């Protein structure tokens, strides 16, 4: 596995693999697994009289040769079209590509390739519109196995070339030895590693391919579980400071003055946190709850328990606006309990101080905040990234609470916890929308979770609907009528746009779908086909996202005329933003047309409706967070996801699924399907940079649970894997040397 590909394959073959795909060793190549397989037996060969066997809309795979290829500008629409005539036996097919002029080079006359796509009629013949294809080298079609592997590739390094390189290596590959003990393989019905590596690349049957992939997925799950369990064990070698509950402390006094009853869920989670904080095993907990479920109250009760023990708590917020709001909210909830050293403090002396520390504080205010933190006079410090910076010290930090944790990098979240000292602080992270990486860690068993699964009394669920404006324009007309009805009932409305304006640019909208994999190469996602019998494709160029600066005046003069309408975005001067938000909060504005500046830190209970325009331009978690701005009072609330996405499109399907999904964890799973789980042992929050090749949170939950149990059993008996060198090597192969450093620390 460690042999250089230069040695195994020679310079001519090895260098493109290194340049294009960063594959340098035999192990790198054999771990570059096929992304899919095409069954050779199902490849369609046609004859003169077989035209009747095809049906429009049928998905086919054709093995054919390009006879000619032409490219031209579309006559009546903007864009470029490439048409390739492909001979499959005696039959001819037209393969059409839209706005991909480079296909003229990719599919020159004489090119043999596999084409996969949906059939349609075109000028009396058969067409594949924007088919997936894989170019085959000379003579390759005669050497194809029963299942043809299709690899992640590039335009300069085709899938067939990778397949031939893999076959060349496997012909001389020694058995690598098996890191898994034989008894473990037998108990889980796993084939040997050597067999799995052969059969995943060159399977004769689907059954062989499935069994091979299961073994390789199991290796990744087991290696990852060993790494995570080991990392967690090493993290607990430095104990946390015990913070036992006090019956006569701040926490008890706070509970006594609460003007409302805690929900059963808040009480249950609070008890669980209190028990954990009283111990010396460091708390590492995710507190999940939708907007309005009362996470802040739960976190404050935990912070007060820490303060009662003579230690300090930090609350990290992603923005200064939210940090300032948290500080004001905590001070308001604490009342005299939060005014230590001030007039009006609790007469029984049970009081602490809440200090705000942000980057924009003036020199004097910053010095005072730093002194409060370092001296311990501030039991609770609320801040942004400024709290993490060097030079910020604490007297005795016992708890770190991170709000909206997806706004902080992995290393930033760990900074306070990893500072030198005899103890490590407990950590509580809160979110209404767990990011994919967090969902991954949760399912992989590296993060404890608590969930607030009920709303406080009086809160109403948010009725959410996807509005396909292109398909059903009357629905959008009805939406504007509903705005007038809400305002007439004394309520207020948000209208959200993804962009500020022509000069302001984008303000944080995420792409509707993930960017294409840079390794797509041979097999590209299909574009929309043209209308039947029309050789001019629809213009695929999308209009720019709707902008606040353009939408607001159009609404004011059109469907929302007569209403008090204001505009809000992040590029406005601070005093103007404050004035607009103050007017909206006081009910002097009926409709607020805004960007995602309202995503966090805005609480207007009288706002009962939100319309998100171009909703397909936002990420799933962002949409869920935005709709949490309504439904904050006792009145019924609604949110509309307006989109121009076509019927049946992935974008519209995604919005419809989100509209039917009120729960934050389910939203995060949908987000995970769209964005992937990210690098579960690294700093990457999401996307396709995972160090894992096959393991998927969504597909392999049961297998992960099996591997987790086995990993705990092994590490309980051999914490450093000293007696299992094969398993130590497996951990390194799955997570890398840096992330397996717990092996040296134990």
């Amino acid at each position: 596995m460690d042999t250089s590909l230069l040695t195994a394959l020679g310079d001519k073959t090895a260098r493109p693999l290194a340049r294009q795909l960063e594959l340098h060793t035999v192990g790198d190549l054999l771990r570059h697994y096929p992304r899919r397989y095409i069954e050779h037996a199902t490849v369609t060969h046609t004859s003169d009289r077989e035209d009747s066997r095809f049906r429009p809309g049928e998905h086919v795979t054709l093995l054919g040769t390009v006879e000619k290829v032409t490219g031209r500008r579309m006559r009546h629409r903007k864009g470029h079209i490439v048409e390739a005539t492909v001979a499959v036996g005696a039959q001819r097919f037209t393969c059409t590509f839209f706005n991909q002029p480079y296909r003229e080079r990719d599919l020159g006359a004489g090119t043999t390739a596999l084409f996969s796509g949906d059939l349609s009629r075109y000028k009396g013949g058969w067409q594949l519109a924007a088919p997936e294809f894989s170019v085959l080298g000379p003579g390759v079609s005669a050497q194809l196995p029963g299942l043809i592997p299709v690899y992640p590739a590039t335009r300069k390094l085709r899938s067939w070339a990778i397949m031939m390189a893999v076959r060349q290596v496997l012909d001389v590959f020694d058995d690598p030895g098996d890191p898994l003990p034989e008894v473990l393989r037998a108990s889980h019905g796993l084939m040997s590693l050597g067999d799995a590596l052969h059969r995943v690349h060159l399977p004769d049957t689907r059954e062989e391919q499935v069994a091979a992939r299961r073994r390789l997925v199991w290796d990744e799950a087991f290696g990852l579980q060993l790494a995570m369990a080991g990392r967690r064990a090493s993290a607990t070698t430095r104990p946390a400071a015990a913070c036992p509950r006090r019956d006569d402390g701040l926490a008890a006094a706070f509970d006594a003055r609460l003007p409302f009853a805690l929900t059963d869920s808040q009480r249950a989670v609070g008890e669980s946190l209190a028990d954990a904080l009283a111990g010396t095993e460091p708390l590492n907990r995710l507190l999940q709850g939708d907007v309005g479920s009362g996470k802040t109250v739960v976190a404050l009760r935990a912070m007060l328990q820490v303060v009662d023990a003579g230690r300090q708590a930090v609350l990290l917020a992603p923005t200064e606006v939210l940090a300032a709001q948290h500080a004001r909210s905590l001070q308001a909830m604490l009342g005299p309990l939060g005014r230590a050293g001030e007039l009006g403090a609790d007469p029984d002396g049970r009081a602490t101080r809440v200090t705000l520390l942000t980057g924009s504080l003036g020199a004097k205010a910053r010095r005072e905040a730093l002194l409060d933190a370092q001296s311990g006079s501030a039991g609770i410090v609320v801040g942004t990234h400024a709290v993490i910076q060097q030079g910020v010290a604490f007297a005795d930090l016992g708890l770190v609470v991170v709000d909206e944790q997806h706004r902080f990098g992995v290393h930033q979240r760990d900074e306070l916890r990893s500072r030198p000292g005899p103890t490590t602080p407990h950590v509580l992270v809160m979110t209404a929308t767990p990011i994919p990486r967090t969902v991954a860690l949760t399912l992989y068993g590296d993060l404890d979770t608590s969930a607030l699964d009920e709303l406080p009394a009086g809160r109403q669920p948010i009725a959410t609907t996807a509005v396909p404006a292109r398909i059903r324009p009357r629905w959008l007309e009805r939406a504007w009528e509903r705005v007038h009805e809400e305002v007439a009932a004394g309520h207020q409305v948000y209208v959200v746009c993804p962009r500020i304006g022509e000069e302001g640019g984008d303000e944080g909208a995420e792409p509707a779908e993930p960017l294409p994999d840079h390794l797509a190469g041979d097999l590209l996602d299909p574009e929309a086909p043209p209308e039947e019998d029309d050789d001019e494709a629809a213009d695929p160029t999308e209009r720019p996202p709707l902008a606040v600066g353009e939408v607001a005046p159009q609404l004011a003069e059109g469907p929302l005329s007569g209403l008090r309408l204001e505009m809000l975005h992040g590029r406005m001067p601070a005093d103007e933003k404050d004035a607009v938000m103050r007017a909206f909060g006081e009910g002097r504005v009926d409709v607020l047309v805004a960007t995602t500046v309202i995503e966090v830190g805005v609480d207007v209970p009288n706002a009962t409706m939100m319309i998100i325009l171009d909703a397909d331009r936002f990420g799933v978690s962002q949409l869920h967070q935005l709709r949490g701005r309504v439904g904050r009072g006792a009145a019924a609330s609604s949110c509309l996801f307006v989109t121009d996405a076509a019927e049946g499109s992935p974008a519209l399907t995604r919005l419809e699924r989100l509209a039917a999904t009120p729960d934050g964890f389910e939203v995060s799973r949908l987000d995970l399907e769209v964005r992937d789980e990210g690098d579960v042992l690294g700093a990457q929050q999401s996307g396709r940079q995972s160090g894992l090749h096959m393991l998927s949170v969504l597909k392999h939950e049961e297998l992960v649970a099996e591997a987790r149990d086995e990993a705990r059993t092994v590490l309980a008996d051999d914490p450093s894997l000293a007696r299992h060198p094969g398993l130590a090597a497996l951990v390194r192969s799955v997570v890398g040397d840096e992330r397996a450093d717990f092996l040296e620390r134990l």
Side-chain angles (χ1 to χ4, degrees), residues 213-235:
R213 292 182 76 90
R214 183 174 184 275
R215 163 59 203 262
L216 297 170
V217 169
W218 217 96
D219 278 9
E220 291 186 1
F222 193 45
L224 183 61
Q225 284 304 310
L226 287 169
M228 287 191 165
R231 186 177 69 174
R232 187 161 187 167
S234 66

Side-chain angles (χ1 to χ4, degrees), residues 53-64:
R53 66 183 288 184
F54 296 114
R55 297 288 183 272
E58 179 184 4
H59 188 86
V60 297
T61 298
L62 306 171
L63 177 61

Side-chain angles (χ1 to χ4, degrees), residues 37-252:
Y37 302 85
I38 298 174
E39 294 189 33
H40 195 194
T42 66
V43 173
T44 304
H45 296 267
T46 67
S47 64
D48 292 335
R49 305 180 183 277
E50 288 183 324
D51 185 82
S52 61
R53 66 183 288 184
F54 296 114
R55 297 288 183 272
E58 179 184 4
H59 188 86
V60 297
T61 298
L62 306 171
L63 177 61
T65 301
V66 178
E67 290 188 332
K68 68 175 181 178
V69 60
T70 59
R72 58 180 171 80
R73 291 282 179 186
M74 297 182 194
R75 289 191 293 272
H76 305 300
R77 303 173 188 265
K78 185 188 300 182
H80 190 277
I81 189 169
V82 172
E83 294 176 332
T85 301
V86 178
V88 182
Q91 194 88 354
R92 300 295 181 271
F93 294 81
T94 300
C95 293
T96 308
F97 303 89
F98 308 101
N99 290 323
Q100 298 176 42
Y102 51 85
R103 292 303 175 206
E104 286 190 75
R105 299 190 304 272
D106 295 344
L107 294 171
T111 300
T112 299
L114 288 163
F115 298 88
S116 295
D118 295 330
L119 280 172
S120 60
R121 299 299 294 181
Y122 176 63
K123 291 185 175 180
W126 291 107
Q127 173 185 249
L128 293 174
E132 297 178 340
F133 67 91
S134 181
V135 175
L136 305 178
V140 171
S141 60
Q143 306 174 41
L144 293 174
L147 288 178
I148 304 166
V150 179
Y151 291 90
T154 71
R155 294 193 183 106
K156 294 184 178 180
L157 184 63
R158 299 296 190 182
S159 177
W160 69 267
I162 300 171
M163 180 180 70
M164 298 306 291
V166 169
R167 293 181 68 160
Q168 185 177 342
V169 164
L170 287 176
D171 285 343
V172 295
F173 182 55
D174 294 330
D175 191 304
D178 206 311
L180 297 187
E182 186 175 350
V183 64
L184 190 151
R185 295 203 310 271
S187 65
H188 292 279
L190 302 172
M191 67 171 58
S192 71
L193 178 59
D195 284 346
L197 289 173
H198 275 82
R199 296 180 187 183
V200 76
H201 291 287
L202 300 174
D204 290 324
T205 65
R206 285 284 179 187
E207 291 73 20
E208 283 187 0
Q209 175 254 323
V210 169
R213 292 182 76 90
R214 183 174 184 275
R215 163 59 203 262
L216 297 170
V217 169
W218 217 96
D219 278 9
E220 291 186 1
F222 193 45
L224 183 61
Q225 284 304 310
L226 287 169
M228 287 191 165
R231 186 177 69 174
R232 187 161 187 167
S234 66
T236 58
T237 56
R238 189 162 63 120
C243 301
R245 284 185 277 195
R246 284 178 49 189
D247 294 334
D248 59 347
L250 274 169

Side-chain angles (χ1 to χ4, degrees), residues 338-424:
R339 299 182 187 137
E342 303 175 16
L343 290 175
D346 181 70
D348 296 328
R350 295 178 299 180
T352 188
R353 181 182 300 173
V354 178
T355 292
L356 178 65
L357 178 57
T358 64
S360 65
L361 289 178
K364 181 180 179 181
R366 179 175 174 78
R367 282 196 300 270
E368 292 176 353
L370 290 173
L371 182 60
D372 286 346
Q374 189 167 4
S375 67
S377 61
I380 299 175
V381 177
V382 182
T384 57
H385 301 78
V387 175
I388 305 173
Q389 296 172 358
Q390 294 296 321
V392 180
F394 297 89
D396 190 353
L397 185 58
L399 173 64
V400 177
V401 179
V402 183
D403 190 27
E404 291 305 331
Q405 43 90 348
H406 64 286
R407 300 295 190 88
F408 290 89
V410 175
H411 298 309
Q412 291 173 321
R413 296 200 297 264
D414 289 342
E415 174 62 27
L416 287 172
R417 187 172 189 170
S418 61
R419 292 187 177 186
T423 61
T424 185

Side-chain angles (χ1 to χ4, degrees), residues 466 512-513 615-617 643 645-646 648-657:
E513 301 294 337
D616 51 299
R617 311 289 184 115
T643 176
S649 65
L652 180 55
T653 300
R654 182 172 61 99
L655 292 177
E656 290 172 339
R657 288 183 61 188

